């Protein structure tokens, strides 16, 4: 079945450590996104990529980095510079072909806890 | 830039009662509108979308939403809710065009009880 896989589901890290969250899709989508979800704040866009080897900052990119070396993969690194890294992280993808705007497909998220 | 307001953070309702989840948007250009649903510890799933045409759009599980341009609203309604509808609902907006980013509201938690 096609979909988006995020791993791991739960992740625990000590403050000061970098951590990388995995996101893989087999939907053949060109565009991929990383969102951060905090209670009462909805989803905020961290980074997005419309095509391989290209990505743009979203609304809250500080303290995060990404790469897009393959169409299927869009890993997110939470660096030690991110002041409040504990959150639920969601990866999404969508097709950019066709008319209108195709919907986002989401993974099941990674809950990161930094202590 | 566009923005979305979901005024109600929580909506409690009894099973089989009707419900309306409110969504208002702000944009200076034409928009697409979406409702997504999130069940606990999962990602979001598309519930319904308005791109063009009929202003009333429906989902397969009985939800509907109406695009009202004059009131800049896209409220979500269901005439009779079920316990399984308990979830968080997000309204989202984007500018028209295939490459535009989505802006999400802060979400409304729908709690259905017996």
């Amino acid at each position: 079945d096609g979909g988006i896989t995020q791993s791991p589901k739960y992740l625990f890290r000590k403050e000061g450590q970098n951590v990388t969250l995995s996101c893989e899709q087999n939907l053949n989508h060109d565009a991929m996104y990383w969102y951060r979800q905090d209670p009462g704040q909805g989803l905020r866009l961290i980074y997005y990529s419309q095509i391989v080897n290209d990505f743009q900052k979203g609304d809250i990119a500080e303290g995060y980095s990404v790469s897009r070396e393959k169409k299927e993969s869009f890993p997110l690194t939470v660096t030690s510079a991110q002041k409040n890294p504990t959150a639920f992280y969601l990866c999404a993808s969508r097709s950019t072909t066709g008319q209108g705007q195709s919907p986002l497909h989401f993974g099941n998220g990674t809950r990161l806890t930094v202590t | 830039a566009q923005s979305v307001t979901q005024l109600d953070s929580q909506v409690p309702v009894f099973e089989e009662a009707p419900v309306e989840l409110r969504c208002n948007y702000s944009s200076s250009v034409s928009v697409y509108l979406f409702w997504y649903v999130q069940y606990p510890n999962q990602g979001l799933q598309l519930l319904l979308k308005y791109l063009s045409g009929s202003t009333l759009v429906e989902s397969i599980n009985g939800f509907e939403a109406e695009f009202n341009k004059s009131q800049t609203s896209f409220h979500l309604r269901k005439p009779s809710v079920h316990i399984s509808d308990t979830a968080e609902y997000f309204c989202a907006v984007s500018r028209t065009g295939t490459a535009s980013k989505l802006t999400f509201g802060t979400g409304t938690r729908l709690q259905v009880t017996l």
Side-chain angles (χ1 to χ4, degrees), chain A residues 89-100:
Chain A
Y89 290 88
L90 287 163
C91 179
S93 72
R94 68 179 184 91
S95 171
T96 56
T97 59
Q99 292 186 330

Side-chain angles (χ1 to χ4, degrees), chain A residues 22-88:
Chain A
S22 169
C23 177
E24 304 280 331
Q25 54 100 358
N26 60 4
L27 299 166
N28 199 34
H29 287 168
D30 285 309
M32 296 188 73
Y33 304 78
W34 273 106
Y35 288 90
R36 170 182 172 138
Q37 185 177 15
D38 297 281
Q41 296 194 51
L43 277 71
R44 293 181 290 169
L45 182 63
I46 304 172
Y47 267 98
Y48 64 104
S49 168
Q50 303 275 37
I51 197 167
V52 174
N53 292 322
D54 187 42
F55 49 82
Q56 287 80 41
K57 292 182 179 180
D59 302 317
I60 55 165
E62 185 175 348
Y64 299 97
S65 66
V66 293
S67 62
R68 187 84 187 278
E69 297 176 2
K70 299 187 299 182
K71 188 176 186 177
E72 306 79 28
S73 179
F74 191 41
L76 174 73
T77 296
V78 184
T79 74
S80 56
Q82 168 49 233
K83 297 190 188 316
N84 296 297
T86 294
F88 189 50

Side-chain angles (χ1 to χ4, degrees), chain A residues 6-10 88-91 107-111, chain B residues 41-43:
Chain A
Q6 290 188 244
S7 60
K9 190 172 179 66
Y10 298 97
F88 189 50
Y89 290 88
L90 287 163
C91 179
N108 282 329
T110 292
R111 190 167 296 280
Chain B
N41 294 312
Q42 293 187 23

Side-chain angles (χ1 to χ4, degrees), chain A residues 9-10 33 35 37 40-43 45 48 50 57-59 88 90 94 96 98-109 111, chain B residues 9 32 34 36 38-46 49 51 88 90 93-107:
Chain A
K9 190 172 179 66
Y10 298 97
Y33 304 78
Y35 288 90
Q37 185 177 15
Q41 296 194 51
L43 277 71
L45 182 63
Y48 64 104
Q50 303 275 37
K57 292 182 179 180
D59 302 317
F88 189 50
L90 287 163
R94 68 179 184 91
T96 56
Q99 292 186 330
Q101 185 177 95
S102 59
L104 288 174
H105 294 255
F106 282 86
N108 282 329
R111 190 167 296 280
Chain B
S9 60
Y32 297 141
F34 306 81
Y36 283 83
Q38 183 181 34
Y39 299 101
N41 294 312
Q42 293 187 23
L44 279 68
Q45 304 169 33
L46 179 69
K49 63 183 177 183
L51 301 182
E88 186 135 24
F90 291 92
V93 63
S94 75
R95 295 174 56 176
T96 56
T98 58
S100 299
K101 297 178 294 178
L102 273 184
T103 298
F104 285 87
T106 53

Side-chain angles (χ1 to χ4, degrees), chain B residues 32-80:
Chain B
Y32 297 141
L33 292 155
F34 306 81
W35 276 100
Y36 283 83
V37 59
Q38 183 181 34
Y39 299 101
N41 294 312
Q42 293 187 23
L44 279 68
Q45 304 169 33
L46 179 69
L47 190 59
L48 44 76
K49 63 183 177 183
Y50 169 78
L51 301 182
S52 65
S54 172
T55 56
L56 183 66
V57 290
E58 299 175 350
S59 72
I60 58 173
N61 58 352
F63 282 95
E64 65 178 30
E66 186 161 20
F67 170 54
N68 188 320
K69 189 174 181 180
S70 62
Q71 297 188 10
T72 60
S73 67
F74 191 54
H75 301 329
L76 182 69
R77 302 183 183 94
K78 189 170 185 179
S80 176

